[in-house]
Amino acid sequence: FLPPAAPVMPPSCCGYLSQYTHHHLVAFLLTFFSYVLLHASRKTFSNVKVSISAQWTPSVQNGGAPAFSPEETWEDNHLFADEKQATLFLGALDSIFLFSYAVGLYLSGVIGDRVNLRYVLCFGLCGSAAVEFLFGTLTEWLHIYNKYLYCGLWVLNGLLQSAVWPCVVAVMGNWFGKTGRGFVFGLWSACASVGNILGAFLASSVLKYGYEYAFLVTSVVQFAGGVVVFFGLLTSPKEVGKDFELGHFESETGLGPVETDTDSHRPLMSDEEDEVEAYARRHPSVQQTEESLECSQAISFFQAFRLPGVVPYSLAYACLKLVNYSFFFWLPFYLSNNYGWKEAEADRLSVWYDVGGIIGGTVQGLISDCMGKRAPVLSLSLALAMGALVGYSRSPNDQLINAVLLAVTGFFIGGPSNMISSAISADLGRQEALRGSQEALATVTGIVDGTGSIGAAAGQYLVSLIESKLGWMYVFYFFIVMTGGSIVFITPLFIRELCAMWRDRRALRRQL
């Protein structure tokens, strides 16, 4: 007779960083700054919307000085009769970008699992930088103003940028196993928020020379970053060598071996063992053998879509990304339009939302590691986010109070968004059902982020429409409803994980 096994407790939240080497650090930093540069250039568009709107409307409407001499040349080149039409078109451009970005994510995730991740990543970075230069700088220098050209370039930009996120998450998933993934990925997922902050400061620093220079600076920096990544990034431990992959490097570093790919497949997100086993029985082609570990194959898109947890987290992320990206695209415009603050001031103030997101993603990821569960942390944060949205919608015309409320809102909205898009996507792409096919991480990440981008794309046009018809207060009501939708979709996972925690607690008491 053997006593029942003690429940598996989550690993210690401290001490696991010592297992990593300089190869892990380089992979962390290169993927981190790849997405920092991408988001900095993406943020530029939202930071210069006021200037673009003024450039695209007649001077008699926007109150600005004519951009050309003589004035008739300006009147021949304006795109819209008034600022409201320009605002609606800017919202349509956001939706166009996100729809093409969503479609591209579904495709690039599949491609990333079949082609060298470094090639796909660098193609996306450098190609997107070139398109942004054409969109924001070259068209302004040559005085080319055409709605169809702008739409076409922004569709292409969305497709190219979609190649980056699945690749960087897949590279991180290759290098960092399950232990401490919530903390490591929570810290790493701050890349988007750091990029927003960098983009805001770059745009505000050169905006006095014209919005085209904001696009010029960020696109050149992003292109240079793509070149550095191409020559410096190792996409997995396999590229270092077999000895490193197997962890036989203790004599050189004095450290214990890092987790192998096998370790990283252990489930963390919930009490999923039964569901995973059922999935494996339905799909025997993805069961693992020692031979197939050496020759991993990518799974199909539909197999990845049917993995446990993918659909509920994707739908929850669709609602949450709508809210998060509405702040991303519209916050500087809202601050300038609603409070009358200067565009450069609004750009700098908007970074507090991202500061809150950075702290929220890291802290909540660490807590979820200590608990060994993700859904309870997400549910509580999203419930508090609804209250934060109510509070921020009633912020007075005071920049200090607004900044504090922004940081709190970013903590409870940006934090869960970062967790789903990074740590949870890596959990989903490295779960037990995939032991026969390790090449699924980019595909799963593309599905989760692609579904989120579809929700965000629909939301951006709705934001501009609701604002023009009903005002900003109803936009915030819309955000609250969407945040509640995220909670609804993860509720089954939340209940399952609570039940698992209760069973573990009872088992531990019996052992004591």
Side-chain angles (χ1 to χ4, degrees):
F1 174 76
L2 294 174
V8 178
M9 300 301 293
S12 171
C13 295
C14 302
Y16 48 67
L17 294 180
S18 62
Q19 65 181 315
Y20 300 131
T21 69
H22 71 279
H23 293 290
H24 294 83
L25 179 63
V26 170
F28 183 100
L29 292 177
L30 285 179
T31 53
F32 183 90
F33 283 106
S34 295
Y35 210 67
V36 165
L37 297 179
L38 188 80
H39 243 263
S41 62
R42 190 184 298 177
K43 182 67 173 174
T44 300
F45 180 66
S46 65
N47 285 336
V48 300
K49 278 183 175 177
V50 174
S51 296
I52 292 177
S53 178
Q55 187 78 334
W56 287 353
T57 53
S59 56
V60 69
Q61 292 289 336
N62 61 49
F68 304 107
S69 181
E71 187 172 350
E72 290 76 15
T73 306
W74 159 245
E75 297 299 334
D76 291 340
N77 283 277
H78 76 263
L79 287 175
F80 303 101
D82 54 46
E83 187 179 341
K84 279 197 171 183
Q85 291 185 20
T87 301
L88 283 173
F89 182 69
L90 290 171
L93 280 178
D94 289 337
S95 293
I96 286 170
F97 170 83
L98 285 171
F99 272 121
S100 60
Y101 183 71
V103 172
L105 281 167
Y106 289 125
L107 299 175
S108 61
V110 175
I111 294 171
D113 282 330
R114 290 161 173 80
V115 180
N116 189 300
L117 290 168
R118 183 163 52 91
Y119 299 157
V120 180
L121 173 58
C122 296
F123 179 76
L125 283 171
C126 295
S128 170
V131 170
E132 286 162 359
F133 172 77
L134 293 175
F135 177 92
T137 304
L138 194 61
T139 55
E140 180 63 24
W141 282 350
L142 300 179
H143 304 324
I144 300 173
Y145 302 96
N146 185 284
K147 288 183 281 190
Y148 301 106
L149 175 62
Y150 287 136
C151 290
L153 287 174
W154 231 222
V155 167
L156 182 58
N157 189 35
L159 293 172
L160 288 167
Q161 288 204 12
S162 69
V164 177
W165 184 251
C167 292
V168 292
V169 173
V171 171
M172 283 291 293
N174 289 339
W175 279 100
F176 296 90
K178 181 183 79 71
T179 302
R181 181 179 284 157
F183 173 73
V184 172
F185 273 79
L187 185 64
W188 175 84
S189 64
C191 56
S193 298
V194 172
N196 295 343
I197 295 170
L198 178 63
F201 279 107
L202 287 177
S204 62
S205 63
V206 299
L207 196 56
K208 58 186 176 183
Y209 303 109
Y211 74 83
E212 64 271 24
Y213 289 97
F215 281 101
L216 174 64
V217 170
T218 52
S219 61
V220 169
V221 173
Q222 180 182 320
F223 190 93
V227 174
V228 172
V229 168
F230 181 82
F231 289 104
L233 180 64
L234 297 174
T235 60
S236 75
K238 296 176 183 178
E239 295 187 10
V240 179
K242 185 175 181 182
D243 287 344
F244 184 92
E245 183 187 355
L246 294 174
H248 298 159
F249 54 92
E250 294 151 284
S251 59
E252 294 182 13
T253 64
L255 300 173
V258 296
E259 288 179 294
T260 64
D261 285 342
T262 306
D263 296 324
S264 67
H265 282 274
R266 289 179 292 172
L268 173 70
M269 297 181 306
S270 68
D271 156 75
E272 285 181 347
E273 288 83 355
D274 295 337
E275 190 174 358
V276 166
E277 289 174 6
Y279 177 89
R281 286 195 297 269
R282 291 196 304 270
H283 301 280
S285 61
V286 297
Q287 286 196 312
Q288 180 88 9
T289 63
E290 289 300 319
E291 291 76 20
S292 64
L293 180 63
E294 296 298 323
C295 184
S296 57
Q297 295 180 351
I299 68 172
S300 70
F301 175 87
F302 293 104
Q303 282 179 308
F305 191 81
R306 294 165 62 185
L307 286 169
V310 170
V311 171
Y313 273 121
S314 296
L315 294 176
Y317 193 50
C319 297
L320 184 57
K321 191 170 183 176
L322 183 154
V323 180
N324 195 43
Y325 263 56
S326 295
F327 274 90
F328 171 77
F329 281 118
W330 289 103
L331 184 55
F333 185 86
Y334 165 74
L335 294 173
S336 180
N337 183 270
N338 195 58
Y339 296 105
W341 297 331
K342 293 180 180 179
E343 189 175 17
E345 291 178 339
D347 289 346
R348 286 191 286 269
L349 188 64
S350 68
V351 305
W352 287 104
Y353 178 82
D354 297 299
V355 170
I358 292 171
I359 299 171
T362 305
V363 171
Q364 293 171 37
L366 181 61
I367 293 172
S368 69
D369 277 343
C370 294
M371 293 177 61
K373 309 292 179 187
R374 308 279 193 219
V377 180
L378 285 178
S379 300
L380 178 60
S381 180
L382 292 173
L384 294 172
M386 297 173 73
L389 285 168
V390 173
Y392 183 70
S393 67
R394 289 164 172 76
S395 174
N397 193 345
D398 182 280
Q399 291 193 11
L400 178 61
I401 296 176
N402 197 286
V404 172
L405 292 174
L406 260 182
V408 173
T409 305
F411 183 93
F412 292 119
I413 293 177
S417 180
N418 290 345
M419 278 185 63
I420 294 176
S421 63
S422 58
I424 289 176
S425 292
D427 290 341
L428 293 168
R430 286 289 195 178
Q431 55 184 293
E432 191 74 17
L434 289 168
R435 287 182 64 88
S437 179
Q438 298 177 53
E439 304 301 329
L441 223 168
T443 302
V444 170
T445 302
I447 291 172
V448 174
D449 204 26
T451 306
S453 296
I454 290 175
Q460 301 323 298
Y461 187 73
L462 288 174
V463 166
S464 61
L465 191 63
I466 294 171
E467 188 277 327
S468 63
K469 300 292 184 184
L470 301 172
W472 283 109
M473 185 58 68
Y474 284 88
V475 172
F476 283 101
Y477 293 152
F478 176 55
F479 291 164
I480 293 168
V481 171
M482 289 296 100
T483 305
S486 296
I487 298 175
V488 169
F489 285 121
I490 64 173
T491 295
L493 300 172
F494 170 67
I495 294 173
R496 184 188 307 153
E497 293 189 4
L498 279 183
C499 292
M501 291 172 65
W502 176 252
R503 288 196 301 268
D504 288 347
R505 189 178 183 86
R506 291 181 61 185
L508 183 60
R509 284 180 176 176
R510 285 197 299 266
Q511 289 297 309
L512 297 176

